[in-house]
Amino acid sequence: MEQKQPLIQILIFSIISLLIIIAGIFLYLHQGKVIRNDINSDLTYISILKVNQIDLWLKEKRRDAQELSNNKWLIEDIYKFITKKDEKAFTNINQWLKNLKESNNDYSDILLVDKNFETKIKVNNELLDYENIKMEVQAAFTTKKIQFLDIHKHSNGNLRLGFAIPLNYKSEIIGVILLVINPKINLFPLVQTWLTESKTAETLICRPDSNGVVFLNSLRHNKNSALKLRFPLTRTEIPAVQAALGYKGIYEGRDYRGSKVLSYIQKIPGTNWSMVAKIDYDEVMSPLFQRLVLVASLLLLIIITFGFIFSYSWKANQIKYYKEKYQLEIDKQKQEELLEVIFQALPVGIWIHDKDGVMLNQNKKAKEIWSGAEDTYLKSFTEGKSSWYMSGELVKQEDWPLWKTIKKGETFHNQTIILECTDASKRIIDNSIVPVIYDKEIIGAVVVSEDITNIKNTENIIQKSLHEKEILLKELFHRTKNNMQIISSIISLQALEKLDPKMSLILQEMKNRIQTIALVHEQLYRSNEFASLDLKEYIEKLIHLLIYSFTEESSNIEIIKDLESITVLLDTAVPCGLIVNELLSNAIKYAFPNKEKGSINIMLKKHKDIIELSVHDNGVGVPSNFNILGKDTLGISLLKNIVEGQLMGDIKVESNHGMKFIITFKDTLHKG
């Protein structure tokens, strides 16, 4: 019996470890709070600074507008020009506006508009779209007050803002001067610059817009977003939406990308704009995560050190215990070896099956009866074929004695059947089957068989004919397929054992290659033509078999087939099948490593006497300078040997947008 571990020492070790972990958690939380407070202070400072800059800039522009509105000499010249077509007045106005633009680079254009919205004077030749600012210009005429032209988009896609300045001449508005500003040049640089180095931080301006919020400037992570990117007011997790709802201050949410961010929201005076300064939460917490790794490593080292000291105190007793256990295992192994020797020496064939009919073991005589190799096993009792000796009828699955024994607990003695063996021979077998019952439950069955073929052969002389030879040839293909299925089943049974993933993968690849060859014999068996087969039909069945074999890996992969019906000999079909097996298996396993969606194209064409076979996936591919054919792996070596050694063909590899293997060979070399 295993010795009890020192519970008190374990309890002390657990308490100390727990205290160390709790201390680490408190330290982590405290550091996180400090970092968040620092970032909140930075965001607040940057937001206030930029709001003040924008407010000062807007006040300067409003002051320019107010000076124009109060310029009596300019208004006098405008009146003369509009009402009397005075050329001198026109020259004075035009020169005045040009001087204003040249002295202030903020204005992309300055225009004089009359009551009919007709442009009388333009400093530049910029096309102005009145549709988006018509209400503001009209308001300048009616209210006689300077109107702010909010950021808007022209039909040509350009963003503009500015001021509509009414020209009051003797209590009558004779026209409006439009100061046009390009925000990309004059405003957005104030908004978008950041004072410190950051990969995700940015400031932006937004405003309410028809039951939602719209972003006014191009964003760091969405360059073409000005006046295009909008969100409804229901998306309250977005800081810009909170700004539209009137929120001010620090806010934690998710930005337009869906990324978690920390932000500071503030209204810009004199406008309906809001300033949002934000930074990604992951960037903020990155230093904390680094500290966490360092602290966790230190804590882990402390715990491991203490655990090592603890384990050393009772290691001696454990060594003694395991020595005793090892001796018991040796004695048990010797008993099992003795029983195995007796089991193998019995003069009758014995098969042991579990409750699902899967064969667990068989002795040497059973293998001789089955005519299989030393390691040949049936996966299931339904894989082999047998018939009743007297009637010659095949034994149906539901009539198998073994099935009835496992499902119903029936016992059978001296049942005579004709067994189809793996060497294509038939043997007359005398079977006895008994259930194995444990705790009142059937857990399997034991089959005891005796070969009585020599006794019964004298009663079963069959006249052979040409038709029977054809049947025999079909049976040969079928049995060959069964042989390979048996080998495949043995590999599957081996794979069920607790093996490392690499060995399981090797067994799976061996199984697929065997099934690829077996599928050729199955198709020949089902065909009336024994010398050749349809390569298209064979590849389609092989694809189905591989998809079934890699059900989980291929769940998100679309197989696209472009196959031409080509009749080939067995010597051509088997290499082609092995090629498709290797390339399609590799594409399913490696082209889409995280179960991404993708597709694999399989093409089979014939051009005169040249057959072309290609497998193309749109997966991750390999680097352009990576020579995959130069790799000394089993799959690549097998592929090259088949293409060059058996098909006498060529192989090319393309790695653009995934991997593409192109195999070509002459059909004339493989005709009968």
Side-chain angles (χ1 to χ4, degrees):
M1 179 180 293
E2 184 175 357
Q3 293 183 345
K4 293 184 178 180
Q5 296 181 348
L7 298 180
I8 296 178
Q9 295 183 36
I10 293 177
L11 181 61
I12 294 174
F13 172 76
S14 301
I15 292 174
I16 294 176
S17 300
L18 182 61
L19 291 175
I20 293 174
I21 293 172
I22 292 174
I25 293 174
F26 275 109
L27 177 62
Y28 172 79
L29 295 176
H30 174 72
Q31 289 294 321
K33 185 176 180 180
V34 171
I35 291 175
R36 287 170 63 93
N37 289 339
D38 291 341
I39 292 298
N40 289 341
S41 298
D42 291 344
L43 291 174
T44 303
Y45 171 79
I46 291 172
S47 179
I48 293 174
L49 176 63
K50 288 185 175 293
V51 166
N52 291 338
Q53 288 177 332
I54 294 172
D55 181 45
L56 179 62
W57 182 79
L58 287 173
K59 286 179 178 178
E60 289 177 356
K61 302 306 116 184
R62 287 191 175 94
R63 187 162 54 248
D64 289 344
Q66 190 63 48
E67 289 176 358
L68 283 175
S69 177
N70 296 332
N71 194 324
K72 296 180 180 180
W73 294 275
L74 177 62
I75 295 175
E76 180 73 28
D77 283 339
I78 291 174
Y79 173 76
K80 292 177 181 179
F81 168 66
I82 292 177
T83 58
K84 301 177 181 180
K85 308 297 182 181
D86 190 318
E87 290 296 331
K88 183 178 180 181
F90 170 78
T91 302
N92 292 338
I93 297 168
N94 194 47
Q95 187 61 43
W96 184 282
L97 297 180
K98 284 184 178 180
N99 291 339
L100 176 61
K101 184 181 184 306
E102 290 174 358
S103 63
N104 195 327
N105 292 327
D106 286 348
Y107 303 120
S108 62
D109 203 355
I110 304 174
L111 303 93
L112 174 62
V113 181
D114 64 10
K115 294 180 179 180
N116 299 320
F117 292 94
E118 180 181 348
T119 302
K120 295 299 185 180
I121 296 177
K122 295 176 64 174
V123 174
N124 285 345
N125 292 323
E126 179 174 331
L127 295 176
L128 188 63
D129 186 355
Y130 289 108
E131 289 301 320
N132 293 325
I133 59 173
K134 192 171 183 179
M135 293 179 59
E136 288 82 354
V137 176
Q138 184 64 45
F141 277 105
T142 56
T143 64
K144 301 181 181 180
K145 294 181 179 180
I146 298 172
Q147 300 295 318
F148 177 58
L149 306 179
D150 206 343
I151 297 175
H152 54 279
K153 182 179 294 185
H154 289 189
S155 57
N156 59 6
N158 292 330
L159 297 179
R160 295 293 183 264
L161 62 83
F163 295 89
I165 308 165
L167 304 173
N168 191 345
Y169 182 78
K170 297 181 179 180
S171 301
E172 179 185 359
I173 303 301
I174 59 173
V176 170
I177 289 180
L178 301 179
L179 294 180
V180 182
I181 301 171
N182 185 347
K184 289 185 177 181
I185 299 175
N186 308 108
L187 175 61
F188 292 168
L190 289 176
V191 176
Q192 296 168 330
T193 55
W194 195 263
L195 300 181
T196 58
E197 183 179 355
S198 172
K199 295 181 179 180
T200 63
E202 66 176 321
T203 49
L204 57 90
I205 53 176
C206 58
R207 72 183 181 210
D209 179 56
S210 61
N211 298 323
V213 64
V214 62
F215 292 86
L216 300 181
N217 61 300
S218 294
L219 305 172
R220 180 173 188 174
H221 308 290
N222 190 340
K223 300 299 183 183
N224 194 23
S225 57
L227 289 183
K228 289 184 178 180
L229 186 60
R230 289 176 169 81
F231 287 99
L233 295 181
T234 55
R235 296 287 302 276
T236 54
E237 78 278 9
I238 299 176
V241 173
Q242 290 292 333
L245 294 174
Y247 184 88
K248 178 182 177 181
I250 294 295
Y251 182 77
E252 181 178 331
R254 295 192 177 274
D255 69 355
Y256 52 88
R257 300 168 297 156
S259 300
K260 187 176 181 181
V261 295
L262 296 175
S263 64
Y264 184 82
I265 304 169
Q266 184 177 2
K267 190 76 174 176
I268 298 178
T271 68
N272 60 350
W273 303 345
S274 294
M275 167 71 68
V276 178
K278 68 179 186 65
I279 188 171
D280 281 10
Y281 183 86
D282 290 342
E283 181 180 352
V284 172
M285 304 306 289
S286 177
L288 180 61
F289 294 151
Q290 295 174 0
R291 296 177 191 174
L292 174 62
V293 171
L294 180 61
V295 172
S297 300
L298 180 60
L299 295 180
L300 182 61
L301 179 61
I302 295 174
I303 293 173
I304 291 175
T305 302
F306 189 82
F308 177 79
I309 296 173
F310 160 77
S311 63
Y312 185 80
S313 65
W314 51 269
K315 185 176 181 180
N317 291 333
Q318 290 297 97
I319 292 175
K320 180 181 178 181
Y321 162 72
Y322 284 114
K323 283 184 177 179
E324 294 175 353
K325 186 176 181 180
Y326 175 77
Q327 188 60 46
L328 290 175
E329 290 294 329
I330 294 295
D331 296 339
K332 180 180 177 182
Q333 183 177 355
K334 289 181 178 179
Q335 293 178 359
E336 291 176 349
E337 290 175 352
L338 178 61
L339 291 175
E340 181 65 19
V341 171
I342 297 173
F343 177 72
Q344 295 296 337
L346 291 174
V348 293
I350 300 178
W351 285 270
I352 301 175
H353 298 262
D354 65 10
K355 63 180 180 179
D356 297 319
V358 177
M359 183 178 294
L360 302 178
N361 199 3
Q362 58 181 333
N363 68 354
K364 182 177 180 180
K365 187 65 178 180
K367 296 175 183 178
E368 293 176 359
I369 292 174
W370 185 248
S371 301
E374 190 66 23
D375 57 348
T376 299
Y377 285 83
L378 281 177
K379 180 180 179 181
S380 171
F381 62 82
T382 60
E383 287 191 16
K385 281 190 176 182
S386 63
S387 57
W388 300 114
Y389 173 72
M390 296 301 299
S391 64
E393 294 181 359
L394 288 176
V395 181
K396 298 179 181 179
Q397 179 175 336
E398 60 270 17
D399 295 332
W400 271 74
L402 180 58
W403 177 271
K404 293 182 179 180
T405 298
I406 290 175
K407 298 301 180 183
K408 301 180 181 179
E410 299 182 20
T411 300
F412 297 92
H413 296 286
N414 305 115
Q415 283 198 330
T416 305
I417 62 171
I418 301 174
L419 178 66
E420 295 183 8
C421 302
T422 59
D423 62 357
S425 66
K426 293 185 178 181
R427 300 195 181 192
I428 304 172
I429 306 300
D430 185 20
N431 273 346
S432 295
I433 308 172
V434 296
V436 178
I437 300 175
Y438 178 78
D439 197 18
K440 298 181 180 181
E441 181 181 358
I442 299 174
I443 63 172
V446 176
V447 180
V448 180
S449 301
E450 183 178 1
D451 185 0
I452 58 174
T453 305
N454 294 332
I455 300 174
K456 296 294 183 179
N457 273 345
T458 57
E459 304 173 4
N460 298 311
I461 300 175
I462 302 172
Q463 297 296 327
K464 297 183 179 181
S465 64
L466 179 62
H467 177 69
E468 290 172 336
K469 291 179 181 178
E470 293 176 351
I471 293 176
L472 182 60
L473 184 58
K474 293 187 71 171
E475 292 297 325
L476 178 61
F477 283 120
H478 180 66
R479 291 163 191 159
T480 303
K481 180 206 68 173
N482 279 352
N483 282 339
M484 295 180 179
Q485 285 183 336
I486 291 169
I487 297 173
S488 177
S489 300
I490 294 170
I491 295 174
S492 296
L493 283 173
Q494 188 67 39
L496 291 176
E497 298 182 5
K498 295 181 178 179
L499 301 174
D500 64 271
K502 183 176 181 180
M503 180 59 68
S504 298
L505 179 59
I506 293 173
L507 293 176
Q508 180 64 37
E509 291 175 347
M510 292 173 59
K511 176 182 174 184
N512 288 345
R513 292 171 183 142
I514 293 170
Q515 289 179 334
T516 299
I517 301 174
L519 186 60
V520 174
H521 293 83
E522 179 182 8
Q523 190 165 343
L524 288 171
Y525 165 72
R526 299 183 182 278
S527 172
N528 294 325
E529 182 65 42
F530 301 129
S532 60
L533 51 77
D534 186 347
L535 191 55
K536 173 185 176 181
E537 181 181 354
Y538 169 53
I539 291 177
E540 286 179 339
K541 290 182 179 179
L542 178 58
I543 292 171
H544 178 75
L545 183 66
L546 289 173
I547 293 300
Y548 178 79
S549 178
F550 296 98
T551 302
E552 180 178 356
E553 293 90 339
S554 63
S555 58
N556 291 329
I557 302 175
E558 178 185 9
I559 305 299
I560 302 173
K561 296 175 287 187
D562 182 11
L563 307 176
E564 180 179 333
S565 292
I566 303 174
T567 302
V568 297
L569 297 180
L570 176 63
D571 290 342
T572 300
V574 171
C576 288
L578 290 172
I579 290 171
V580 172
N581 174 75
E582 292 298 320
L583 296 180
L584 183 55
S585 299
N586 286 341
I588 292 174
K589 290 185 295 183
Y590 305 121
F592 311 97
N594 296 316
K595 296 186 178 180
E596 299 97 337
K597 290 185 177 180
S599 64
I600 302 175
N601 292 266
I602 302 176
M603 187 270 287
L604 176 68
K605 297 291 182 182
K606 183 177 179 182
H607 310 283
K608 295 183 179 180
D609 63 338
I610 299 296
I611 295 177
E612 179 180 343
L613 173 64
S614 69
V615 178
H616 181 200
D617 67 76
N618 62 353
V620 296
V622 298
S624 59
N625 59 350
F626 185 83
N627 182 15
I628 190 169
L629 293 179
K631 299 297 288 182
D632 188 19
T633 63
L634 177 59
I636 294 299
S637 298
L638 178 61
L639 181 64
K640 293 172 67 177
N641 288 337
I642 292 173
V643 175
E644 299 172 359
Q646 298 185 38
L647 295 179
M648 303 300 176
D650 296 318
I651 179 171
K652 294 194 301 183
V653 180
E654 298 176 1
S655 59
N656 187 19
H657 301 295
M659 291 292 298
K660 183 175 183 180
F661 290 81
I662 304 171
I663 293 90
T664 56
F665 56 92
K666 287 188 176 182
D667 185 41
T668 54
L669 297 176
H670 306 274
K671 290 184 178 179

